[in-house]
């Protein structure tokens, strides 16, 4: 792959300061991310691409889909997601600086993609003696791109280590103070976030931090079409809490995915043989307070990234709600069992019980 390493210089520290300043206008910070993406594309010759032709180059793994470098680069354009993750990671690093004895804070960034978007800007704010970074991605092209960007940004003094491997099977004797893994889609479908979390949680130091700290999937009775029309007309940063805008009824908390409890999620064989294995996430019954035929069954996704940094429903592509068409509209008294399928396309499954 040809790399355009002679691209003009870029002020990475100024970028980090802009992205971390929540007092600035949202569109100004988005513009800074666009400038970063344009520079990274010039250096690496990988252009962010959301088209089907880009996604067709994904790697299908036993535990989920690893999106290809061009598609991974495009995730930067999901601005609120990028800004919130960067804010959460910086807050975690600051806490670790106070917590970790003198010496390097060891960081693992799994699924870093070609621009290492969630970490790269922050490296300009940290001394070479205080951070040791390990970048893990299954695509060699992504790691080659990151190396070119590190050279272009003159980050050579920082300890940077590159590992080309599947994050669900990567083996190392190292343990980490901070692990960053954002390998997911809405409702934890398609990508291997759960499998990545389960595997990499074993590499976290006892007082270490895993980002995101928690991913929550909640089932609701809701008016799907109404919510979709509303969310498509709004800037994600301006969306008010959904509970203040729509009639919703809580049904069931399907999953709270955390590094410190993920090992308690015990897979078992799927009795219907639809998936290789499943995780049983409990059952619920539609209460008689919900009128038959008026509400859809949807799953909402929220992320607690770190400390006070969150991504709420409809903030970004990761937290858009998902409708279970086969279960909608809901009827009073219906009982459902919830599973998470562990396949090459992981996803929630809702089975209707007799």
């Amino acid at each position: 792959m040809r790399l355009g390493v002679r691209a003009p210089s870029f002020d990475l520290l100024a970028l980090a300061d802009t992205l971390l300043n929540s007092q600035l206008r949202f569109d100004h910070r988005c513009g800074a991310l666009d400038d970063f993406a344009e520079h990274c594309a010039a250096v690496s010759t990988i252009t962010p691409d959301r088209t089907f032709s880009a996604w067709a180059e994904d790697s299908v793994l036993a535990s989920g889909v690893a999106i290809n470098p061009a598609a991974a680069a495009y995730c930067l354009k999901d601005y609120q997601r990028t800004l919130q993750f960067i804010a959460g990671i910086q807050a975690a690093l600051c806490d670790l600086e106070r917590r970790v004895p003198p010496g390097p804070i060891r960081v693992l960034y799994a699924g870093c993609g070609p621009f290492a978007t969630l970490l790269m800007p922050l490296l300009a704010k940290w001394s070479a003696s205080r951070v040791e970074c390990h970048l893990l991605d299954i695509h060699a092209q992504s790691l080659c791109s990151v190396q070119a960007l590190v050279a272009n940004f003159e980050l050579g003094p920082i300890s940077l280590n590159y590992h080309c491997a599947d994050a669900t099977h990567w083996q190392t004797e190292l343990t980490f103070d901070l692990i960053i893994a954002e390998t997911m889609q809405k409702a934890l479908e398609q990508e291997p976030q759960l499998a990545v979390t389960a595997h990499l949680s074993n590499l976290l130091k006892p007082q270490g931090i895993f980002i995101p700290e928690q991913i929550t999937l909640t089932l609701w009775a809701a008016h799907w079409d109404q919510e979709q029309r509303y969310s498509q007309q709004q800037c994600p940063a301006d969306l008010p809490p959904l509970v203040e805008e729509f009639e919703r009824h809580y049904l069931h908390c399907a999953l709270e995915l955390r590094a410190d409890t993920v090992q308690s999620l015990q897979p078992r064989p799927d009795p219907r043989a639809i998936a290789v294995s499943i995780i049983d996430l409990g059952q619920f019954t539609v209460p008689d307070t919900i009128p038959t035929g008026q509400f859809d069954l949807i799953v909402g996704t929220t992320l607690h990234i770190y400390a006070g940094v969150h991504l709420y429903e409809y903030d970004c592509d990761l937290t858009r709600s998902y409708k279970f068409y086969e279960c909608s509209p809901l009827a009073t008294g219906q009982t459902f069992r919830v599973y998470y399928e562990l396949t090459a396309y992981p996803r929630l499954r809702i089975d209707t019980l007799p």
Side-chain angles (χ1 to χ4, degrees):
M1 178 183 65
R2 183 179 64 84
L3 295 172
V5 294
R6 294 184 181 179
S9 61
F10 188 92
D11 192 339
L12 200 62
L13 180 58
L15 171 69
D17 289 339
T18 297
L19 300 182
L20 292 170
N21 187 350
S22 60
Q23 300 304 309
L24 294 175
R25 285 178 41 171
F26 182 69
D27 59 352
H28 179 73
R29 299 162 79 200
C30 295
L33 282 172
D34 288 336
D35 292 342
F36 176 66
E38 183 178 350
H39 182 82
C40 290
V43 172
S44 68
T45 70
I46 295 176
T47 301
D49 189 352
R50 70 179 302 178
T51 64
F52 176 77
S53 60
W55 292 86
E57 300 298 322
D58 293 344
S59 297
V60 180
L61 313 175
S63 55
V65 176
I67 62 175
N68 71 85
Y74 192 83
C75 292
L76 177 151
K77 302 284 188 176
D78 196 0
Y79 300 113
Q80 185 73 346
R81 162 171 53 173
T82 302
L83 291 170
Q84 291 297 88
F85 265 96
I86 289 174
I89 292 166
Q90 175 67 2
L93 285 169
C94 290
D95 281 352
L96 287 167
E97 184 180 32
R98 292 185 288 268
R99 186 187 308 175
V100 176
I105 299 167
R106 187 176 292 150
V107 180
L108 172 64
Y109 183 2
C112 63
F115 300 164
T117 302
L118 305 182
L119 184 62
M120 185 75 75
L122 299 177
L123 295 181
K125 298 185 70 67
W126 291 88
S127 69
S129 63
R130 202 57 176 122
V131 291
E132 172 192 322
C133 298
H134 294 257
L135 300 162
L136 172 64
D137 202 283
I138 198 169
H139 297 108
Q141 185 185 18
S142 284
L143 295 176
C144 186
S145 168
V146 173
Q147 287 176 292
L149 291 170
V150 165
N152 181 264
F153 294 136
E154 299 181 349
L155 296 172
I158 294 179
S159 175
L160 291 153
N161 307 271
Y162 304 90
H163 310 278
C164 188
D166 179 348
T168 65
H169 295 289
W170 181 58
Q171 299 296 319
T172 179
E173 295 182 359
L174 298 173
T175 55
F176 297 89
D177 299 295
L178 174 62
I179 297 178
I180 305 160
E182 192 274 90
T183 53
M184 64 175 288
Q185 297 287 346
K186 64 181 185 302
L188 291 177
E189 68 171 357
Q190 181 181 356
E191 295 189 43
Q193 182 75 33
L194 191 149
V196 168
T197 303
H199 181 67
L200 295 184
S201 63
N202 297 309
L203 306 180
L204 193 64
K205 292 183 179 181
Q207 300 303 314
I209 298 170
F210 197 102
I211 288 181
E213 285 197 300
Q214 180 168 308
I215 302 167
T216 303
L217 304 185
T218 306
L219 294 166
W220 300 90
H223 298 294
W224 164 261
D225 291 339
Q226 184 186 50
E227 291 192 11
Q228 293 304 296
R229 286 194 299 270
Y230 173 76
S231 68
Q232 291 166 7
Q233 296 173 4
Q234 304 292 322
C235 167
D238 297 332
L239 278 172
L242 284 171
V243 292
E244 297 178 6
E245 294 295 316
F246 302 110
E247 183 182 2
R248 273 189 170 196
H249 298 271
Y250 171 83
L251 294 172
H252 182 63
C253 181
L255 180 62
E256 293 178 342
L257 178 61
R258 299 178 55 91
D260 57 356
T261 59
V262 66
Q263 302 303 331
S264 67
L265 299 174
Q266 295 297 321
R268 62 179 177 83
D270 183 2
R272 293 175 55 187
I274 296 174
V276 175
S277 58
I278 55 174
I279 298 171
D280 190 336
L281 300 176
Q283 70 180 52
F284 66 94
T285 299
V286 180
D288 56 13
T289 54
I290 298 177
T292 294
Q294 295 186 23
F295 289 88
D296 301 306
L297 177 61
I298 71 168
V299 58
T301 307
T302 58
L303 282 77
H304 176 203
I305 298 173
Y306 180 70
V309 184
H310 297 79
L311 283 168
Y312 298 106
E313 285 190 65
Y314 295 106
D315 274 351
C316 66
D317 286 346
L318 298 183
T319 60
R320 290 196 166 275
S321 61
Y322 177 92
K323 176 181 175 180
F324 290 94
Y325 286 88
E326 66 276 16
C327 303
S328 300
L330 292 166
T332 299
Q334 281 183 304
T335 298
F336 299 95
R337 196 82 190 179
V338 187
Y339 300 99
Y340 190 77
E341 294 183 348
L342 300 170
T343 67
Y345 194 102
R347 67 185 184 101
L348 273 188
R349 186 176 90 204
I350 311 290
D351 287 354
T352 304
L353 299 183

